[in-house]
Amino acid sequence: SQATPQVSGAAALIRSWYTRTQGAEPSPALTKALLVNTATDLAGGLNGKGDTIAAGPNTDQGWGRVNLGNAFDSTPREYRDQADLLDASGESVVSSYAIQDSSKPVKVTLAWTDAPGPTSGNPVVNDLDLEVARGAGIYKGNVFAGATSRTGGDADRRNNVESVHLPAGTSGRFAVRVRGTTIAGNGVPGVGDKTDQDFALVVSNAAEQPAPMLVHESTTIDD
């Protein structure tokens, strides 16, 4: 696929840019999260069969076309790069954000490097789940209606990349929870015990606000 060298080159440029502007080398998980978070939706184009591509993440376009112009633009973005460790099932990390420009969408993307899985059967070892809370609504990662997220639905149990997209016109504050639904393996070798997992988070068009980071299952994230 010609996409392979293009995305590889984009990842190299992301790494160089992030190291220069943020003062640290990005993890593979953060590099992936940023590429996904800033991709361009291909709605209206044609797939390989000549059918029109629908809006939003789907089997025709994946997360869209890599767009370094978006990744390097002036949109306010917050990054959390493997700074938090979930070491038991049920633990969560919560952060709070304020939307910066209500005329633009808000995108939240979670990615993690899972522990090595078995050679057969379900390859997933550590299952993290993304949730975004705004007012009374809870948006789960990878639950979409077209190009934007919807409330309800089931948590994604298969993928190690999850996103929530809130449409333009959304304002105020929202909370992001990264839930360690299942922490069954050693996702961070050489650190702590043999059941742990870190992650990368990219939040576009928002500024982080003071909030507790590590909470138990019973703690609310409603703002």
Side-chain angles (χ1 to χ4, degrees), residues 53-96:
I53 298 174
N58 53 54
T59 55
D60 283 331
Q61 64 166 311
W63 291 103
R65 178 183 291 124
V66 167
N67 189 330
L68 291 180
N70 288 346
F72 299 153
D73 69 11
S74 60
T75 299
R77 290 191 178 88
E78 297 285 349
Y79 308 100
R80 297 189 67 82
D81 191 12
Q82 300 187 160
D84 305 290
L85 192 66
L86 298 166
D87 57 16
S89 299
E91 285 190 347
S92 297
V93 174
V94 178
S95 46
S96 180

Side-chain angles (χ1 to χ4, degrees), residues 175-212:
V176 174
R177 180 197 292 270
V178 178
R179 184 190 298 275
T181 302
T182 302
I183 307 297
N186 192 8
V188 191
V191 176
D193 59 23
K194 293 185 178 181
T195 52
D196 50 31
Q197 183 63 59
D198 55 14
F199 59 86
L201 189 70
V202 176
V203 183
S204 289
N205 190 26
E208 189 169 1
Q209 307 296 301

Side-chain angles (χ1 to χ4, degrees), residues 131 138-144 150-157:
E131 295 178 357
I138 301 292
Y139 301 86
K140 297 183 177 70
N142 296 355
V143 178
F144 285 91
R150 64 174 177 85
T151 57
D154 298 322
D156 189 327
R157 299 290 185 240

Side-chain angles (χ1 to χ4, degrees), residues 89 112-129 142 155-162 179-187 196-197:
S89 299
W112 69 98
T113 301
D114 196 7
T119 57
S120 61
N122 183 8
V124 177
V125 177
N126 293 329
D127 175 29
L128 307 188
D129 287 309
N142 296 355
D156 189 327
R157 299 290 185 240
R158 299 182 61 185
N159 295 295
N160 67 340
V161 176
E162 297 189 12
R179 184 190 298 275
T181 302
T182 302
I183 307 297
N186 192 8
D196 50 31
Q197 183 63 59

